[in-house]
Amino acid sequence: MSHDERAGRRDDERAEASAEPGAAGAPAFEAIGLTRSYRLDGGVQVDALRGADLRIGQGEFAAIVGPSGSGKSTLMHLLGCLDRPTSGTLLVNGVDVATLDDARLADLRNRTIGFVFQSFHLLPRTSALDNVALPLVYRGAPRAVRRERARAALEAVGLGHRLTHRPSQMSGGEQQRVAIARALVGDPRVLLADEPTGNLDSRNGEEVMGLLERLNEGGVAVVLVTHDADVAARARRQIRVRDGRIERDT
Amino acid sequence: MRTAEALRMAVEALRVNRLRSMLTMLGVIIGVLSVVILVAIGTGAKNAVEKEIAGLGSNIILVVPGQVGLGAAPTQSRLDLSDVAYVRRVVGDPSKVTVAVNSGEPVRVGRVEVFATLTGTDENMPHVFDRPLRRGRYLTGTDVDTRRRVVILGSEVAAKLFGDVDPIGRQVTIAGVRFRVIGVYETVGSTFGVARDQEVHLPVTTAQRLIGLPRINGIAVGASGPDEIEPLRQRVVAALAARYPDETFSAVTQTQLLGTIGTVLGMLTGVLAAIAGISLLVGGVGVSNIMLVSVRERTKEIGLRKALGARGRDILGQFLIEAVLLTTIGGVIGILTGVGGALLIQAVSPVPASITWWSIVLAFGVSAAVGVFFGVAPARRAARLDPVVALRTD
Ligand SMILES: Nc1ncnc2c1ncn2[C@@H]1O[C@H](COP(=O)(O)OP(=O)(O)OP(=O)(O)O)[C@@H](O)[C@H]1O
Ligand SMILES: [Mg+2]
């Protein structure tokens, strides 16, 4: 890891990120003809995504909506570089991810993208603080720096009093806020959230949405998947997915 | 990711599955333990034998008829005292050549009887062999020339026949003939299973008359220095071959004996170590097995770590360190218990055990290598997982 030494310092990271080729003025995401097919054990092919063209600018706030099974999560995973497309091109900050090797892809996931999962995905038997600090481990940040920034992130999501709690000792809403704190601890330029309020009641959902809005005001692009019309309405842009295609983009 | 961090994570992972980790380690512990102990026993045996051979004296060449070697049939001796005189002329220094005639006979004092090894020899014996006296005197030329009926007793024979009484000047009976005790040897232990403290020495001429044969069993020659041994050996063998063209003679040196015995015991040690190594290997398979289970169990965690920015290398390192930690902790425990076991064996049993640093280094190195070797496949499997596939696993 060549940038280890600078890990704890935000300004340097920004400078680093903008030094990436094609980064100046490039949109956060640009997808061209993105497809993703799964081959089942029986040999049956499932086309989850059938050619998505999409452009999401820096600092945007977009909601992806659509019926269940339409390919929203599949799209999100591709945008988050957690999955590789079957065909098509994806540029993140102007860089074609197909050209990135494992290490550079990992670096992209670590520094540029924050991902919030529908089912939290926190490490069990691990304190909120250590869960949130995890992305910084892979930057080689010193322990003291990691703890300090994780604490700040947890305080930012209103969980300053839950630092040593384990996931099993927290409510669903609290767990999702820990997950959000983890997504933003590394200071990403975009935050991808797959149904962040899906498992939460309306009060907790409201709190999470408020958090995402505040983040967006801070300049972070936010893309979220939701089934909730009210939640979708709060985004400045709605992208409707149906049957693996982008049906409407307003 | 930093190594210290990976190490901390590995320790944590092992701690979470404490019982499982310990059971897996047990395989490695037993393997390393047996390597250390068996090598210690093999080395101890070798050291003991080498000490025995060295204890005979220095720079000795033993001349015997026939072939000497493992499995060689004993040969009927055709050498007699004239051959000893001949070898004396060949060697040049008569005092450095001595002779042995052997026979087993009961030795009696009153009603006490002891079975002893009778060795007929001469006044030069102490010049060739290292055989200190406790009391009395060695044989003299006159004893040999006049076939005196005198004996020198090994310390054990003396103790059994006379107890605390000083045997010097007393009588013993061998095959109905009375002998006068002129000396008692110091305790020297045994060589090649020959209990030298159970020997009784007498003039070679007296021994031949007692046995009724003019033969001798062997000639021993003392070289003046280590460099002299080999040329002298060749000279003696060549001279005897010239004198008896139809016979074969062997002249073995301590170096040769040490070499042969060393090779045999070295092989034995190697075989023992290899057998122990197999159990270490089995321990390694256990490690591999448990690491595969661990990777499968933690697939989701691996997916999450990758989603958060772990590279394949980081995951590989994490699982490899975990496997190596498992085997090296097992290795260290195995070494400690192995050393302890070897010391215990040394202390309470007659089996000699000698701990060698190389077996410890080797055992540690091998256990670390086992960790890498058997950890690499599961670790690579983990490293290759796709984040989204791993996250979806239930
Ligand atoms: N690993 C997989 N193997 C096979 N088919 C899959 C796999 N993952 C998703 N699919 C299929 O791809 C389609 C799209 O799935 P996806 O998870 O993207 O839907 P979604 O829009 O997120 O739905 P939901 O709103 O219910 O979360 C579905 O038909 C699903 O069955
Ligand atoms: Mg989904």
Side-chain angles (χ1 to χ4, degrees):
Chain A
M1 245 179 261
S2 56
H3 348 272
D4 291 1
E5 308 75 32
R6 288 175 260 169
R9 310 222 302 265
R10 293 172 186 226
D11 297 344
D12 283 352
E13 272 167 43
R14 284 285 181 240
E16 168 85 19
S18 61
E20 292 273 334
F29 294 108
E30 184 157 16
I32 305 151
L34 220 50
T35 75
R36 178 68 168 98
S37 307
Y38 299 103
R39 189 166 287 284
L40 298 182
D41 294 340
V44 184
Q45 184 170 318
V46 179
D47 297 317
L49 212 58
R50 303 160 186 259
D53 297 302
L54 186 67
R55 197 183 163 94
I56 296 174
Q58 303 287 351
E60 261 201 80
F61 195 150
I64 298 177
V65 295
S68 188
S70 55
K72 305 182 296 295
S73 292
T74 303
L75 178 60
M76 287 293 269
H77 291 145
L78 289 176
L79 295 180
C81 301
L82 304 181
D83 200 3
R84 289 194 187 249
T86 307
S87 69
T89 308
L90 173 67
L91 308 179
V92 178
N93 288 331
V95 180
D96 184 350
V97 299
T99 65
L100 301 180
D101 60 13
D102 173 75
R104 292 189 155 275
L105 212 53
D107 200 52
L108 186 71
R109 293 194 281 252
N110 187 252
R111 291 171 190 274
T112 310
I113 300 165
F115 210 104
V116 177
F117 302 91
Q118 182 174 353
S119 48
F120 320 143
H121 286 319
L122 299 176
L123 288 183
R125 295 184 298 270
T126 306
S127 70
L129 199 67
D130 284 339
N131 260 297
V132 172
L134 197 53
L136 302 178
V137 167
Y138 295 108
R139 292 186 192 184
R143 197 169 157 82
V145 172
R146 297 200 308 259
R147 302 202 130 233
E148 192 37 53
R149 289 185 61 176
R151 176 200 300 275
L154 278 166
E155 274 162 7
V157 299
L159 287 177
H161 59 300
R162 290 280 185 270
L163 301 182
T164 58
H165 282 232
R166 290 156 181 224
S168 59
Q169 298 164 336
M170 287 185 284
S171 75
E174 285 172 334
Q175 288 185 56
Q176 191 59 302
R177 273 145 67 195
V178 171
I180 292 172
R182 183 180 62 192
L184 59 84
V185 73
D187 244 338
R189 298 175 72 184
V190 294
L191 193 100
L192 302 175
D194 193 352
E195 302 196 39
T197 60
N199 285 339
L200 306 180
D201 65 18
S202 56
R203 197 178 62 80
N204 275 307
E206 175 55 39
E207 223 166 301
V208 165
M209 278 309 292
L211 244 160
L212 295 182
E213 278 170 346
R214 258 189 289 134
L215 265 175
N216 181 244
E217 279 155 22
V220 179
V222 174
V223 182
L224 59 83
V225 170
T226 186
H227 280 289
D228 186 329
D230 293 340
V231 169
R234 291 167 74 161
R236 258 165 271 143
R237 177 179 171 195
Q238 278 99 39
I239 300 160
R240 178 163 295 278
V241 180
R242 177 182 288 278
D243 227 2
R245 284 182 226 280
I246 294 179
E247 192 186 48
R248 194 148 44 87
D249 191 342
T250 51
Chain B
M1 193 178 31
R2 296 170 179 216
T3 317
E5 192 57 36
L7 205 61
R8 214 178 54 82
M9 265 155 49
V11 169
E12 182 59 28
L14 296 183
R15 229 171 45 82
V16 166
N17 285 306
R18 208 165 306 161
L19 183 64
R20 191 167 82 182
S21 306
M22 299 228 283
L23 288 174
T24 310
M25 260 180 224
L26 199 60
V28 178
I29 292 172
I30 292 170
V32 170
L33 174 107
S34 36
V35 167
V36 172
I37 288 188
L38 291 180
V39 169
I41 290 175
T43 312
K46 194 171 150 184
N47 288 350
V49 170
E50 285 174 353
K51 217 167 99 192
E52 283 177 8
I53 295 174
L56 278 174
S58 46
N59 312 325
I60 298 168
I61 303 163
L62 300 168
V63 183
V64 288
Q67 291 284 356
V68 167
L70 294 169
T75 315
Q76 188 61 48
S77 175
R78 292 197 47 188
L79 295 175
D80 58 30
L81 284 174
S82 70
D83 298 307
V84 180
Y86 174 69
V87 170
R88 282 209 167 102
R89 284 198 299 279
V90 171
V91 171
D93 181 354
S95 75
K96 288 301 219 177
V97 179
T98 187
V99 61
V101 172
N102 296 311
S103 168
E105 299 285 345
V107 180
R108 194 164 54 79
V109 172
R111 251 173 290 160
V112 186
E113 196 173 78
V114 171
F115 195 83
T117 310
L118 291 195
T119 301
T121 182
D122 62 14
E123 71 277 15
N124 296 318
M125 191 280 302
H127 301 302
V128 177
F129 291 97
D130 215 8
R131 198 67 187 267
L133 277 173
R134 180 181 295 165
R135 299 190 51 80
R137 64 169 178 87
Y138 290 113
L139 296 172
T140 62
T142 317
D143 292 333
V144 178
D145 294 341
T146 60
R147 291 183 187 157
R148 278 208 186 115
R149 294 198 291 271
V150 291
V151 289
I152 306 170
L153 305 180
S155 60
E156 222 175 292
V157 178
K160 281 182 184 159
L161 290 177
F162 293 101
D164 295 336
V165 180
D166 182 2
I168 305 295
R170 292 179 180 272
Q171 305 271 321
V172 298
T173 309
I174 304 170
V177 182
R178 287 174 166 251
F179 287 79
R180 188 164 50 86
V181 178
I182 58 166
V184 179
Y185 288 120
E186 284 285 4
T187 304
V188 288
S190 57
T191 306
F192 305 132
V194 176
R196 294 202 289 148
D197 297 323
Q198 288 170 21
E199 283 179 348
V200 170
H201 282 192
L202 66 166
V204 58
T205 45
T206 320
Q208 284 178 332
R209 174 185 277 179
L210 197 72
I211 296 162
L213 278 174
R215 303 290 171 225
I216 61 164
N217 292 89
I219 300 169
V221 181
S224 49
D227 297 339
E228 270 301 299
I229 298 174
E230 191 50 30
L232 192 58
R233 186 185 74 86
Q234 283 171 10
R235 220 159 76 220
V236 170
V237 171
L240 281 170
R243 187 170 161 104
Y244 297 103
D246 308 333
E247 307 271 325
T248 51
F249 293 95
S250 308
V252 291
T253 64
Q254 279 162 301
T255 323
Q256 284 175 319
L257 283 178
L258 281 175
T260 313
I261 303 284
T263 310
V264 171
L265 287 175
M267 264 165 55
L268 184 74
T269 308
V271 169
L272 289 178
I275 291 169
I278 290 172
S279 68
L280 190 55
L281 207 68
V282 173
V285 173
V287 171
S288 195
N289 189 19
I290 224 64
M291 290 311 296
L292 280 173
V293 170
S294 182
V295 166
R296 175 149 301 189
E297 271 179 1
R298 281 147 67 192
T299 302
K300 229 183 181 114
E301 178 194 322
I302 294 163
L304 178 70
R305 286 179 184 276
K306 289 193 113 180
L308 297 179
R311 295 165 302 174
R313 242 179 63 185
D314 296 324
I315 303 293
L316 184 82
Q318 182 185 343
F319 280 92
L320 215 49
I321 284 179
E322 203 174 309
V324 171
L325 203 62
L326 207 55
T327 57
T328 48
I329 291 175
V332 167
I333 297 175
I335 286 168
L336 292 179
T337 45
V339 167
L343 290 176
L344 195 72
I345 288 172
Q346 173 82 307
V348 306
S349 82
V351 180
S354 167
I355 295 150
T356 43
W357 63 269
W358 66 262
S359 75
I360 290 174
V361 172
L362 189 79
F364 186 81
V366 167
S367 55
V370 160
V372 173
F373 185 77
F374 288 100
V376 101
R380 280 179 69 167
R381 169 176 287 205
R384 287 216 190 102
L385 282 170
D386 244 349
V388 80
V389 173
L391 276 171
R392 282 229 179 104
T393 311
D394 32 33

